[in-house]
Amino acid sequence: MSRFAEPQDPDFASINRSLDVDQRLWPYDIAQSRAHSRMLAAQGILSNEDRDAIHAGLDAVEAELRDGSFPFREDDEDIHMAIERRLTEIAGPVGGRLHTARSRNDQVATDVALFVREAAIESVERVEELMAAVLDAAEAHLDWPLPGYTHLQRAQPVYLGHHLLAYVWMLQRDRERLQFVGTQVRDLPLGAGALAGVNFDTDRRMVADELGFSGVAPNSLDAVANRDFILDFLAAASTCATHLSRLGAELVLWSSEEFGFVVLADAWTSGSSIMPQKKNPDAAELLRAKAPRIVGHLSALHGVLHALPLTYNKDLQEDKVHLFDAVDTLRLCLAAAAGMVRSASFKRDRMAQAASDELIAATDIADLLVKRGMPFREAHGIVARLVRASVESGRKLSEFTREELLGHSAELDDEARGLLVQESWLESKISEGGTALPRVREQLARARALLA
Ligand code: ARG
């Protein structure tokens, strides 16, 4: 006999049902139920006999879920109800004892915390794999010059090793943010009951130990209402995906005919259905486009949680669709980024040629004048006029005669002319973190140590 006289409206059943999304929580749900029933028996709340019958039943249910033979039903609302229903079919009425001293509210919070813990660990590993791929590429192309850009205009030359290492530091921060997520799922929600605690003398520490939590959530209301750890994961994932979108954007640009700095492996590109000559950097483009999708999930969960009164509200059921898609999307993006970087072939000549534009030496010449005592603004003005003369006459700076240069400023002597050699622009950047080769080697060693 149910409290309800009328059956559910089919559309209510549909909007209320979360099984399609939360099915994948089953391994955590089974693990939790084992720990919970073991604790109930240890506390004398459940007989050992009932515990054993429940465990045998859970084994059978788990086997069905694992091999895909689990008979889901149209009226299974979510994975928790489906597992309990099936357990009772297999083990008999004793299955109904499993939910003693537990609510779906603390149950689902616990399953999701377990899921997030694993997702964070796995994401950290994948970030580390990508870091290793980028590090290897940086080391292999340590001293290959290319233009460094601001405003997507050639600014100053840098080494490719230096450029690639920039991504390693972004990823290192992503790694730290994802590691932080792990600290946010240390406390076990289970035992909070529906919201107020339970009417049994449970041993939450015992459950926490078995499930790998280092403590128990200290407030039952917070335990069932808290989804901060999902926000934390989504925030870390958003920033990471945003970094990958910048990498993707550069790979798209660099693999274009216009740049020609890199050729992506065939395995990471697609052809055109109509233009036979084309090789499209789809995966790199998708790195750009997937990031806002993950950021959207973060924003959506903020929307779900915003102004939500304590404690559990059905709104919280909408946490998982955002979490799961973000986990899956980030996993794919990290794998694609690592795959593309590992198999990319960089084009030394094209990059060097692009970095050979003598106008890039402008800052260096200005700095020389400053070192001789001229105020920077004045030096900047002299060199700016020189650059203009070069652009307007269509002649390279090195084609200017000695007299022409001296005509611009008495300071533009032979030493200044010497700065028109590409190598001098790179090796002059000797400050810590700069692009001079000894500094890049230093940086590479620091980055390597992070992964050791
Ligand atoms: N499917 C629900 C969720 O994901 C489980 C908790 C339901 N609790 C409740 N009191 N109806 O949030």
Side-chain angles (χ1 to χ4, degrees):
M1 253 300 98
S2 122
R3 182 192 179 291
F4 299 95
E6 283 184 74
Q8 289 185 347
D9 185 286
D11 286 336
F12 170 75
S14 294
I15 195 173
N16 196 40
R17 185 176 144 107
S18 58
L19 181 70
D20 294 337
V21 172
D22 62 28
Q23 249 187 69
R24 63 194 285 179
L25 288 178
W26 71 260
Y28 312 97
D29 208 67
I30 299 262
Q32 161 181 172
S33 289
R34 287 204 180 100
H36 180 65
S37 50
R38 213 185 312 277
M39 179 278 289
L40 290 179
Q43 293 295 98
I45 301 166
L46 193 70
S47 73
N48 287 344
E49 217 173 36
D50 286 350
R51 175 202 58 203
D52 293 344
I54 286 172
H55 280 213
L58 285 172
D59 290 346
V61 172
E62 181 180 26
E64 289 183 348
L65 284 162
R66 200 175 289 288
D67 70 16
S69 66
F70 185 99
F72 284 108
R73 271 183 13 195
E74 202 40 53
D75 59 349
D76 286 330
E77 185 184 315
D78 58 25
I79 188 62
H80 323 290
M81 301 292 265
I83 289 177
E84 190 182 324
R85 190 254 314 150
R86 186 68 185 140
L87 172 69
T88 306
E89 284 169 9
I90 291 174
V94 67
R97 292 188 188 276
L98 171 62
H99 212 50
T100 308
R102 183 172 76 173
S103 155
R104 259 191 304 158
N105 298 350
D106 56 349
Q107 182 177 4
V108 70
T110 302
D111 285 356
V112 177
L114 288 166
F115 177 91
V116 166
R117 184 209 287 162
E118 265 184 32
I121 291 172
E122 199 211 307
S123 305
V124 166
E125 285 167 5
R126 288 193 180 260
V127 166
E128 288 167 352
E129 280 164 28
L130 177 56
M131 285 173 81
V134 180
L135 260 169
D136 289 345
E139 186 159 23
H141 308 90
L142 206 63
D143 61 351
W144 292 26
L146 80 159
Y149 294 84
T150 62
H151 311 267
L152 199 59
Q153 309 292 319
R154 289 175 189 167
Q156 295 176 340
V158 294
Y159 289 118
L160 181 55
H162 191 203
H163 189 106
L164 290 172
L165 280 167
Y167 284 98
V168 173
W169 301 106
M170 297 183 222
L171 292 166
Q172 168 62 13
R173 295 191 296 274
D174 291 328
R175 183 189 188 196
E176 288 171 357
R177 272 182 281 270
L178 287 162
Q179 285 166 339
F180 168 78
V181 175
T183 70
Q184 296 304 296
V185 284
R186 276 187 199 142
D187 285 350
L188 173 74
L190 199 67
L195 76 160
V198 298
N199 301 336
F200 296 88
D201 180 23
T202 53
D203 182 352
R204 296 182 68 201
R205 305 264 160 191
M206 175 176 170
V207 178
D209 283 347
E210 177 164 346
L211 295 178
F213 290 90
S214 57
V216 301
N219 180 305
S220 62
L221 306 174
D222 184 42
V224 295
N226 176 26
R227 296 294 185 275
D228 293 0
F229 50 90
I230 307 182
L231 289 176
D232 291 331
F233 179 86
L234 293 175
S238 294
T239 306
C240 182
T242 297
H243 291 153
L244 301 185
S245 77
R246 300 179 83 167
L247 175 66
E250 295 208 315
L251 291 175
V252 171
L253 285 172
W254 288 12
S255 64
S256 70
E257 202 71 53
E258 283 69 13
F259 275 80
F261 289 2
V262 72
V263 175
L264 296 174
D266 287 356
W268 289 100
T269 49
S270 77
S272 157
S273 53
I274 178 159
M275 297 163 283
Q277 82 284 11
K278 288 197 72 187
K279 183 164 163 181
N280 298 327
D282 302 43
E285 295 170 81
L286 288 164
L287 286 188
R288 290 191 306 209
K290 297 278 190 193
R293 171 168 163 173
I294 296 184
V295 177
H297 289 311
L298 170 64
S299 167
L301 187 62
H302 273 293
V304 168
L305 295 173
H306 164 79
L308 203 61
L310 296 182
T311 52
Y312 180 85
N313 298 272
K314 200 58 176 262
D315 310 51
L316 293 178
Q317 179 163 283
E318 288 295 309
D319 57 357
K320 288 171 279 297
V321 69
H322 300 298
L323 169 64
F324 294 163
D325 187 70
V327 168
D328 296 342
T329 303
L330 184 67
R331 175 188 296 134
L332 262 181
C333 288
L334 286 165
M340 277 190 286
V341 169
R342 284 223 179 272
S343 58
S345 112
F346 293 93
K347 297 296 153 197
R348 187 169 201 158
D349 293 347
R350 282 297 294 249
M351 288 190 294
Q353 197 207 338
S356 67
D357 184 345
E358 289 167 6
L359 295 185
I360 278 180
T363 315
D364 291 65
I365 297 177
D367 281 347
L368 175 71
L369 305 192
V370 168
K371 280 184 196 157
R372 293 178 181 170
M374 188 182 289
F376 181 76
R377 274 297 146 224
E378 197 181 320
H380 187 277
I382 290 174
V383 178
R385 283 189 291 277
L386 183 65
V387 167
R388 188 161 147 207
S390 158
V391 172
E392 284 178 353
S393 65
R395 288 157 67 219
K396 292 197 200 168
L397 291 180
S398 56
E399 288 165 19
F400 279 46
T401 63
R402 199 164 171 270
E403 289 64 37
E404 279 175 309
L405 287 180
L406 287 167
H408 273 269
S409 163
E411 300 287 345
L412 294 175
D413 53 16
D414 289 343
E415 189 184 359
R417 286 186 75 127
L419 293 180
L420 301 175
V421 181
Q422 186 186 59
E423 195 189 315
S424 80
W425 318 327
L426 286 144
E427 288 309 313
S428 59
K429 300 293 178 295
I430 51 170
S431 53
E432 187 174 350
T435 210
L437 208 47
R439 291 303 196 180
V440 180
R441 284 194 203 289
E442 206 173 80
Q443 191 190 152
L444 181 77
R446 270 185 74 183
R448 279 258 176 250
L450 288 175
L451 280 185

